[in-house]
Amino acid sequence: MMKRVAAVVVACVTLAVIAVVTVSGPGRSSASGEVRLMRQPDGSMVLADKGGDAPVLDLYEDFDCPVCKELHSRVDATIQRLAREGRVKVVFHPVTIFQQEPMRSNSIRAAAAARCVPEANWLAFRDALYAMQPAPHGIASGFTVEELAKAASTAGATAAGECVTSQAYADSHVAASAKIRIEGTPTVVLNGRVLGNEAFDPAALEQAITGGTGVTV
């Protein structure tokens, strides 16, 4: 566990840390049967059954953070499945934690672009951001506004181009990030408890969310 936490801190440590689309469908066991993705005023995105009282999973992620990309590849499918089943309320918090360049500007451009993308296309755009993450980390500049606009269009947000290229939400994103206090990204918080290595293991994360004896990781 300490190895994973150390990796998060080394990769992404910083002083700054912690419209609606229906996505419900057959076979989901949510309380109301209406699972929605909703944008909040601070730019966060909530995937939840509006009528349910499931545990809350807050995910703080920086789109330029390699460990966030690893977390996404490992457990995103599990998180989304549990949300669509009404078993967890997921709050995605895009943040910018980096103070050094080019990481900081990379992160701001990507997160500002994400605010331009409608709820209906946001999850697909989020996938695209991680797929196109600049590498090597700490050296490469990327997430150009042209690349981001093209990715938004590919994700179905064809009308978002001007908003993306103008970086209309950059200042709002930076201001919102400045209010968050966490020690690194990704930070995964379940009902107020910061998770460790279990956040990276699909089975362990599901046990933490749904209850049970848990598994050793």
Side-chain angles (χ1 to χ4, degrees):
M1 176 174 175
M2 292 306 297
K3 183 181 294 185
R4 177 71 67 185
V5 172
V8 172
V9 172
V10 170
C12 306
V13 71
T14 184
L15 294 177
V17 190
I18 278 199
V20 171
V21 55
T22 301
V23 292
S24 58
R28 292 164 186 155
S29 56
S30 59
S32 71
E34 187 178 34
V35 177
R36 289 174 170 264
L37 182 67
M38 299 159 281
R39 175 172 276 118
Q40 306 303 296
D42 66 353
S44 62
M45 304 291 288
V46 178
L47 181 62
D49 174 4
K50 291 189 69 177
D53 58 354
V56 178
L57 188 76
D58 288 284
L59 171 57
Y60 296 87
E61 57 185 346
D62 188 315
F63 294 126
D64 197 54
C65 166
V67 187
C68 298
K69 181 177 180 177
E70 179 186 357
L71 180 78
H72 179 77
S73 68
R74 287 174 177 264
V75 299
D76 187 64
T78 298
I79 290 172
Q80 290 201 39
R81 173 176 58 79
L82 293 175
R84 288 182 168 90
E85 290 172 355
R87 301 166 79 186
V88 70
K89 174 182 178 179
V90 183
V91 186
F92 301 99
H93 301 268
V95 298
T96 291
I97 64 162
F98 298 111
Q99 300 301 311
Q100 295 180 321
E101 297 294 350
M103 299 93 76
R104 180 171 176 79
S105 293
N106 288 347
S107 172
I108 292 170
R109 284 192 298 273
R115 288 208 190 192
C116 295
V117 174
E119 287 91 337
N121 315 107
W122 191 84
L123 290 171
F125 184 65
R126 177 171 172 262
D127 289 341
L129 289 177
Y130 281 123
M132 62 191 284
Q133 187 181 87
H137 177 71
I139 297 174
S141 292
F143 288 144
T144 67
V145 292
E146 293 80 13
E147 292 171 336
L148 292 166
K150 181 178 179 180
S153 180
T154 300
T158 55
E162 183 177 352
C163 178
V164 171
T165 56
S166 69
Q167 289 284 278
Y169 289 103
D171 290 344
S172 298
H173 167 71
V174 171
S177 287
K179 298 176 182 178
I180 294 172
R181 295 292 179 263
I182 53 175
E183 292 186 357
T185 55
T187 291
V188 183
V189 184
L190 178 61
N191 279 348
R193 179 174 69 90
V194 178
L195 301 182
N197 265 12
E198 67 265 43
F200 288 80
D201 181 275
L205 181 59
E206 183 165 352
Q207 286 282 6
I209 291 170
T210 62
T213 58
V215 298
T216 299
V217 296

